[in-house]
Amino acid sequence: MASIKQFIERRNNISAIVAHVREKGYATRMEISSALGLSWACVSELTSLLMDEGVLQEFSSRGEGTVSESRGRTPTCIRLCDDKYFLGVDINDSGIAISILRLDGKAIRSQKWESEKFDSCDGLSESVCEKIEGMLSDKKNCLGIGVAMEGIFSTDGWLYPFESGVAPYRPEPDIEARFGIPVSARHDPECMLYAAAGDLSCDCMALRVDNGIGVAAMRGGRVLDLPLELGFVKKDGVALRHILRECKK
């Protein structure tokens, strides 16, 4: 049974391979192995896995031709599948936004809806799923749905301001049950950090200023566990967001 360390290393290797192919446009297995310092066996195994999952595709010549299973002296090239995509959903009390993103990170289509008031988690989930339904025209090519949530994360979910008061909400179960697509929810500043960092080995921080002030930090390529809103932090009885806004004047 693989250890947690091995799982993390395997996940990081997969991320590095996808990031390298995205940056270069295409690459041979040998080029990937040399650039990332990974063994040929590791690259071969993980690229095969990514091709099976529909993330990568193989071409018989560099950036040209059709997908080929040919083997021989001429090395085949790997690139991102151009018909696959991810769905990005941003849920916060100022509104809901959804974007369709190609594997190279470019947005195909985006739409935003103004904020609504919900009585319960069921009402919020139904609204989110209806909006996803309208954007998800080709479900079989959607590899996953990423959800950005604002607010503080408790053991039961993200604290969301419903009409009856703040209550924990988890978007993943209802969305997965409705569409049968893997769903991952993260704190919204973390989503911004992943998008902006580029080099996942760097140390950086991202702030999102809305009704609160969300913060995320990355050290050595790992996002630190900081699922909080600085807007709820107080100094001498004054909310930090008010202090920062005063400093901007």
Side-chain angles (χ1 to χ4, degrees), residues 94-112:
S94 64
I96 297 173
I98 299 179
S99 292
I100 299 175
L101 303 169
R102 293 191 334 199
L103 300 191
D104 60 6
K106 294 181 180 178
I108 302 172
R109 180 185 170 200
S110 298
Q111 189 169 345
K112 184 172 183 178

Side-chain angles (χ1 to χ4, degrees), residues 154-181:
S154 71
T155 54
D156 297 320
W158 303 91
L159 299 184
Y160 188 89
F162 296 100
E163 285 194 314
S164 57
V166 175
Y169 168 66
R170 279 189 176 275
E172 304 100 304
D174 290 334
I175 298 175
E176 286 184 352
R178 178 82 165 259
F179 301 102
I181 297 172

Side-chain angles (χ1 to χ4, degrees), residues 39-237:
S39 69
W40 168 267
C42 175
V43 171
S44 181
E45 177 197 356
L46 296 183
T47 53
S48 294
L49 172 66
L50 289 165
M51 284 190 287
D52 289 342
E53 294 294 327
V55 176
L56 300 178
Q57 56 188 175
E58 189 172 26
F59 282 79
S60 58
S61 59
R62 189 174 293 268
E64 298 176 354
T66 56
V67 175
S68 172
E69 297 298 331
S70 63
R71 297 290 186 271
R73 294 183 178 180
T74 302
T76 56
C77 290
I78 308 294
R79 72 177 186 184
L80 297 173
C81 287
D82 50 17
D83 57 350
K84 303 293 183 179
Y85 66 92
F86 290 99
L87 207 69
V89 183
D90 183 17
I91 303 174
N92 60 69
D93 61 357
S94 64
I96 297 173
I98 299 179
S99 292
I100 299 175
L101 303 169
R102 293 191 334 199
L103 300 191
D104 60 6
K106 294 181 180 178
I108 302 172
R109 180 185 170 200
S110 298
Q111 189 169 345
K112 184 172 183 178
W113 294 263
E114 295 301 320
S115 61
E116 305 172 65
K117 294 295 184 180
F118 301 100
D119 293 327
S120 64
C121 295
D122 290 342
L124 174 56
S125 282
E126 182 60 29
S127 179
V128 170
C129 286
E130 285 179 359
K131 292 172 175 57
I132 292 175
E133 188 80 56
M135 297 285 284
L136 202 61
S137 58
D138 187 11
K139 189 170 73 170
K140 66 180 178 62
N141 281 325
C142 182
L143 294 176
I145 298 175
V147 182
M149 294 292 304
E150 74 170 357
I152 298 173
F153 183 76
S154 71
T155 54
D156 297 320
W158 303 91
L159 299 184
Y160 188 89
F162 296 100
E163 285 194 314
S164 57
V166 175
Y169 168 66
R170 279 189 176 275
E172 304 100 304
D174 290 334
I175 298 175
E176 286 184 352
R178 178 82 165 259
F179 301 102
I181 297 172
V183 180
S184 175
R186 304 290 297 186
H187 195 211
D188 50 4
E190 291 183 16
C191 298
M192 296 168 56
L193 192 60
Y194 277 120
D199 179 6
L200 294 181
S201 65
C202 66
D203 296 344
C204 54
M205 178 177 286
L207 294 175
R208 174 166 180 167
V209 181
D210 203 330
N211 294 331
I213 302 173
V215 60
M218 179 182 289
R219 178 180 296 163
R222 187 176 75 87
V223 173
L224 304 182
D225 188 15
L226 300 172
L228 55 85
E229 291 284 325
L230 289 178
F232 291 95
V233 178
K234 293 185 177 182
K235 177 177 175 56
D236 299 329

